[in-house]
Amino acid sequence: MIKDSLNKIKDKAMEEIKNVSNFDLLEKIQKKYLGRKEGELTKILKNLKNLSLEEKKIIGKLANEVKLRIESEAKKKIQELKIKAEALEENFDITLPGEKIEIGHLHPLTQFTRKITDVFVSMGFEIVDGPEAETEEYNFDLLNIPKEHPSRDLWDTFYIKSGNSPESPELDLGSGDSEQNSKNKLLLRTHTSPVQLRAMEKRKPPVRLIMPGRVFRHEATDAGHETTFHQLEGLVIGENIKMTDLIGTLQYFVKTIFGESAKIRVRPNFFPFTEPSIEVDMTCLICCGKGCGFCGGDGWIETLGAGMVHPAVLKNMKIDPNKYSGFAFGMGVDRLMMLYYGVNDIRLSYSGDLRFIKQF
Ligand code: FA5
């Protein structure tokens, strides 16, 4: 009786080991028959105590043979499975679809900046760069913004404490050290307009320049305002340059980027470095002019300031205002980018949130 059971266990185990195709299942089979507590062979051996001494000897010997047989068959199978696994690795099919590797891409602001600079380059504009840590002289004085003049309050400034180099600045949220000379009083530029002055030190009219870059303002943030944002400055100087040239250039730009139906609105404004000055708004494309948090409810977005370059500024550029005239503009790149892609909060751009960046 017990002999039959042992032989049946052996046959069943042999059959199962023969057909097994992976290591996990093989381990389960070994446990099922040889496991210390619940193994089928172990259970039979536990019942030997009821047999006579003679039977114990015979059955014990047979049980041991069955155990050794199962173990050696399992060993053989392990070898066989190892060889198969190695062969599979060697014959790896390189045409199988692999895992997709995520690659980075340009930030939407960079993508958009390239798009808009391309439009100006196609109109014959040259791209010029300038420093982000600027002197008070270039940021204000040479742009016809006198000291103590209330117009300086238009741009809430991050000053850099005296004695600091632009490479390791320490910010001062006050008005800076008034004793210090504006030539070496440093600040984080509040607009890209100072690049106009720097660019004209090395050029003579006629010029068509664009100056994209990062600017900084100490002000409260909301859906449409950041303390760090981007502007693109434009400057055209030549003989007989007129206000209509400015409006025509801006209209061409807006229609090229946003399509023929894009509307702009021009309002009179004041900038100390342009006369006359205008402010240009665009229909808020987030709410299509209905009014939303981004446009502050009035359906228009203030996108740029512009005007005819003030004669005093032309003189600071060593240009004769009787011979030459020019126009300048400074647009908020972030706000235009938001209108272009339908982004409703400027702060998302600088949040570092990959869920936002990956949409572009
Ligand atoms: C200026 O900065 C002038 N330098 C522009 C200029 C240049 C006028 C040349 C005339 C001639 P303003 O402060 O308005 O102007 O800023 C220009 C644009 O920057 C605004 O129309 C707006 O689109 C954007 N902007 C201003 N403040 C912020 C802010 N906190 N966050 C995001 N964008 C801003």
Side-chain angles (χ1 to χ4, degrees):
M1 213 24 203
I2 298 181
K3 253 185 176 177
D4 286 349
S5 305
L6 283 172
N7 281 327
K8 266 189 200 155
I9 287 175
K10 185 187 76 186
D11 292 344
K12 250 173 55 188
M14 291 297 116
E15 182 68 16
E16 285 179 31
I17 291 173
K18 197 175 114 197
N19 295 328
V20 81
S21 58
N22 67 55
F23 290 107
D24 283 350
L25 279 177
L26 180 64
E27 205 181 314
K28 275 187 192 148
I29 295 167
Q30 283 176 286
K31 211 169 167 185
K32 179 175 158 194
Y33 293 103
L34 307 177
R36 277 197 180 181
K37 280 188 185 159
E38 295 296 318
E40 289 188 23
L41 194 66
T42 319
K43 275 190 215 157
I44 288 182
L45 291 174
K46 274 183 188 161
N47 291 329
L48 286 185
K49 59 180 185 291
N50 303 326
L51 301 178
S52 67
L53 197 63
E54 197 55 30
E55 281 174 319
K56 270 187 197 162
K57 268 191 187 166
I58 297 166
I59 300 296
K61 188 168 171 258
L62 181 61
N64 206 32
E65 279 169 12
V66 170
K67 184 177 169 235
L68 290 174
R69 190 65 213 285
I70 295 174
E71 280 175 351
S72 86
E73 198 64 21
K75 255 192 200 162
K76 265 202 310 198
K77 192 70 186 187
I78 288 173
Q79 280 309 317
E80 197 183 297
L81 290 176
K82 269 190 187 162
I83 291 167
K84 269 194 188 158
E86 278 167 15
L88 254 182
E89 262 176 42
E90 276 170 22
N91 297 328
F92 177 68
D93 183 354
I94 56 161
T95 63
L96 285 174
E99 268 179 36
K100 206 174 160 211
I101 297 170
E102 264 193 72
I103 45 170
H105 64 272
L106 294 176
H107 190 282
L109 256 177
T110 312
Q111 292 182 38
F112 184 70
T113 305
R114 290 190 179 182
K115 215 180 264 297
I116 59 176
T117 49
D118 279 354
V119 176
F120 286 107
V121 168
S122 76
M123 287 192 262
F125 282 74
E126 177 195 347
I127 303 171
V128 183
D129 207 5
E132 288 178 2
E134 188 49 281
T135 61
E136 195 178 31
E137 184 189 25
Y138 279 85
N139 198 78
F140 293 127
D141 303 350
L142 295 173
L143 285 164
N144 197 34
I145 311 176
K147 283 209 171 38
E148 320 304 337
H149 192 280
S151 66
R152 286 201 189 210
D153 297 344
L154 289 172
W155 295 282
D156 301 298
T157 311
F158 289 112
Y159 284 89
I160 296 169
K161 279 189 179 162
S162 50
N164 279 276
S165 67
E167 288 78 32
S168 57
E170 194 183 331
L171 294 182
D172 180 358
L173 304 183
S175 58
D177 178 359
S178 53
E179 293 301 306
Q180 221 186 325
N181 188 325
S182 70
K183 279 191 196 309
N184 41 36
K185 196 156 139 191
L186 285 174
L187 46 80
L188 294 181
R189 68 177 176 195
T190 56
H191 52 174
T192 41
S193 299
V195 189
Q196 290 183 32
L197 277 307
R198 293 199 178 270
M200 289 317 292
E201 284 171 352
K202 297 185 193 112
R203 290 171 181 77
K204 294 234 169 304
V207 293
R208 282 181 215 174
L209 310 174
I210 47 164
M211 298 147 264
R214 197 180 352 192
V215 300
F216 309 84
R217 288 187 195 177
H218 181 218
E219 61 178 308
T221 62
D222 60 25
H225 292 81
E226 252 299 356
T227 50
T228 297
F229 58 99
H230 293 77
Q231 287 189 340
L232 184 135
E233 192 84 7
L235 177 69
V236 171
I237 301 179
E239 285 182 46
N240 213 14
I241 300 288
K242 300 181 292 293
M243 191 74 166
T244 44
D245 297 319
L246 166 63
I247 293 177
T249 305
L250 294 176
Q251 246 168 10
Y252 174 81
F253 162 73
V254 167
K255 286 189 185 296
T256 309
I257 293 290
F258 293 98
E260 273 305 310
S261 59
K263 275 194 193 155
I264 57 170
R265 180 174 77 170
V266 175
R267 289 181 286 118
N269 196 23
F270 168 75
F271 292 105
F273 33 90
T274 47
E275 183 58 39
S277 303
I278 55 169
E279 195 136 63
V280 181
D281 302 335
M282 247 194 82
T283 315
C284 176
L285 301 177
I286 306 280
C287 61
C288 299
K290 290 192 194 89
C292 64
F294 178 59
C295 60
D298 79 347
W300 292 94
I301 301 286
E302 173 204 319
T303 49
L304 63 94
M308 298 305 292
V309 182
H310 197 288
V313 176
L314 286 176
K315 277 187 195 155
N316 288 339
M317 293 172 177
K318 315 252 180 307
I319 293 168
D320 179 0
N322 296 317
K323 184 169 181 205
Y324 293 106
S325 57
F327 69 74
F329 57 84
M331 58 178 72
V333 177
D334 303 68
R335 292 195 189 163
L336 287 170
M337 178 280 278
M338 292 163 75
L339 288 174
Y340 187 80
Y341 291 121
V343 176
N344 62 4
D345 196 317
I346 191 171
R347 292 164 293 194
L348 286 167
S349 269
Y350 302 92
S351 64
D353 190 336
L354 288 179
R355 288 169 303 179
F356 169 71
I357 311 267
K358 279 180 179 173
Q359 295 170 42
F360 302 93

